[in-house]
């Protein structure tokens, strides 16, 4: 059997999803083939935009029948070039954007069922309209899609309280590599009837199947809220602060986000309308968000901050005076990725260590950067309560001009940072996944037996290797 031509593939897919939903003109396909950082680009025969589960199934049936690779894409906000194809130009980019309907919100079961193409913002708004909370939240929520969040086991800024996306998924509907549809769209809190298949698909980065619908856990809203920014001398002081917050507020600590002073400075320079709470900037700061279902935590938070200021643990503290300032504080946190991108040549890392090791991992990374690349500057933001540190090295732009860069330089820095995290009992990929960017690190740090289990799973679900080849494995 000869491979079908590019035109034959487009025509076959058009017969299944409608000609208007198969894109081949480079002006239409370009946004799908470039990642949001603008640093990675791929190619495919066409972009195919099915409008129903049945159409996704038909597309997969056709592609598997002809051995054609399929690259699933949600909102294309992956930080690891996971949502774009490789450079080969073979295969079909499968956009799930048209599966964008919220099917149901059940406030007795506390379960929401939505199509994979719903944006995270859409899901959150549907929950809110029904008097419930879907707690997953991150800066890209207006663009990223719930199918992408599931496929990357998204973290975000509320993991401390609600867990990762895996903890929020009750069930999934999946289209398998050969086009068969698995309906695992359950809303059960308890189900020990064999292997937990949905957990396998969460975080699989589109390499084991296509997510078409999701059943998600909802929570009661937490309208009583207090926020503050605290200035501290060190990450070690921040870890002590987190311990005190948890003793006082238990699970009501919604977020504790650590910033280095230079990282705050970059946000102020590049995100319009951001007002920083401190001048001059401290070396370190923690943004605290306490949320409760009923009792207003404001007075208790202020009393705790006053005590910690007296004890010398904090250098300064600025409480949010109402909802508008709370929003302004979150604007600072959500400005990080965009600000770093605008600032220039930067390499961000997504490492995790035990919380007690956060000060050590930051110190070691800063020290290694100063020794190996004195021309670079370190910037840190961390989901402190998850031990998840985004350590960013920013280089002068002229390093871009060197042959092979930024990929070569990025790879060298990543190896040094990842070695440090792994040596401290940590992970080199906490929440963004592997994508195309961290495949070398996967091979470097995973044991042979773990890689063997990965390969066995991949072979069982996708024997032809057509689902998102070049990602993860
Ligand atoms: C400004 C900004 C801030 C961010 N902040 C965070 C953060 O705080 N925490 C964090 O973890 N990440 C963060 N990210 C990264 C990104 O938003 C998440 O990884 C998000 O979950 C990706 O969703 P997406 O729909 O854009 O997926 P895409 O980028 O389109 O795809 C991501 C991966 O999922 C696969 N995929 C997508 N949809 C499906 C589907 N329906 N079925 C099967 N596979 C699929 C793709 O093939 C790819 O492997 C941020 C990104 C940006 C731009």
């Amino acid at each position: 059997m000869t491979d079908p031509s590019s035109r034959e593939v487009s025509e076959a897919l058009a017969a299944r999803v409608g000609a208007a939903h198969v894109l081949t003109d480079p002006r239409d396909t370009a946004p799908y083939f470039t990642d949001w950082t603008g640093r990675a680009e791929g190619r495919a025969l066409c972009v195919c935009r099915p409008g129903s589960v049945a159409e996704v199934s038909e597309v997969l049936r056709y592609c598997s029948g002809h051995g054609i690779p399929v690259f699933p894409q949600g909102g294309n906000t992956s930080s690891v070039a996971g949502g774009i194809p490789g450079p080969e130009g073979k295969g079909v980019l499968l956009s799930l954007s048209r599966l964008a309907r919220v099917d149901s919100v059940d406030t007795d079961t506390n379960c929401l069922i939505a199509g994979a193409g719903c944006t995270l913002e859409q899901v959150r708004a549907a929950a809110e309209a029904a008097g419930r909370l879907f707690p997953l939240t991150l800066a890209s929520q207006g663009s990223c899609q719930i199918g992408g969040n599931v496929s990357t086991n998204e973290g975000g800024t509320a993991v401390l309280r609600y867990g990762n996306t895996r903890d929020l998924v009750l069930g999934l509907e999946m289209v398998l590599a050969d086009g068969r549809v698995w309906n695992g769209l359950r809303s059960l809190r308890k189900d020990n009837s064999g292997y937990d298949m949905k957990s396998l698909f969460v975080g699989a980065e589109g390499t084991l199947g296509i997510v078409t619908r999701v059943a998600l856990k909802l929570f009661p809203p937490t309208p009583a809220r207090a926020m503050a920014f605290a200035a501290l001398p060190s990450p070690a002081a921040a870890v002590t602060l987190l311990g005190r917050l948890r003793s006082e507020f238990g699970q009501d600590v919604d977020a504790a986000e650590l910033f280095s002073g230079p990282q705050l400075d970059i946000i102020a320079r590049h995100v319009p309308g951001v007002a920083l709470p401190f001048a001059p900037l401290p070396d370190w700061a923690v943004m605290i968000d306490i949320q409760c279902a009923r009792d207003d935590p404001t007075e208790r938070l202020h009393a705790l901050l006053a005590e910690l200021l007296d004890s010398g643990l904090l250098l300064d503290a600025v409480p949010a005076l109402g909802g508008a300032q709370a929003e302004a504080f979150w604007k600072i946190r959500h400005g990080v990725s965009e600000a770093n991108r605008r600032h220039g040549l930067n390499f961000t890392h997504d490492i995790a260590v035990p919380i007690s090791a956060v000060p050590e991992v930051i110190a070691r990374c800063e020290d290694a950067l100063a020794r190996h690349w004195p021309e670079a500057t370190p910037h840190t933001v961390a989901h402190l309560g998850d031990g998840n540190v985004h350590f960013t090295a920013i280089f002068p732009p002229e390093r871009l001009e060197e042959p092979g860069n930024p990929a070569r330089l990025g790879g060298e820095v990543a190896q040094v940072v990842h070695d440090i995290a792994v040596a401290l009992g940590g992970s080199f990929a906490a929440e963004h996944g592997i994508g195309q960017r961290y495949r070398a690190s996967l091979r470097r740090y995973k044991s042979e037996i773990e890689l063997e289990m990965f390969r066995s799973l991949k072979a069982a679900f996708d024997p032809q290797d057509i689902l998102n080849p070049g990602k993860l494995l």
Side-chain angles (χ1 to χ4, degrees), residues 36 71-79 81-84 96 116-117 137-141 143-157 174 204-207 209-212 333-334 337-338 350 383 388 390 431-432 435 468 471:
W36 82 276
F71 301 98
Q73 186 182 87
N76 194 16
T77 65
S78 165
S79 306
I84 58 166
L96 282 304
T137 177
L138 64 154
S140 60
Q141 66 196 31
S143 313
C144 66
Q145 298 174 8
I146 196 67
N149 301 144
V150 167
S151 300
T152 55
N153 186 26
E154 180 56 57
T157 50
M174 301 291 305
E205 302 187 32
T207 62
I210 310 295
V211 180
T212 46
R333 176 61 188 86
H334 283 155
S337 305
E338 197 54 44
D350 173 38
H383 308 299
N388 180 189
H390 296 303
E431 61 173 359
H432 295 163
N468 222 4
K471 314 293 162 50

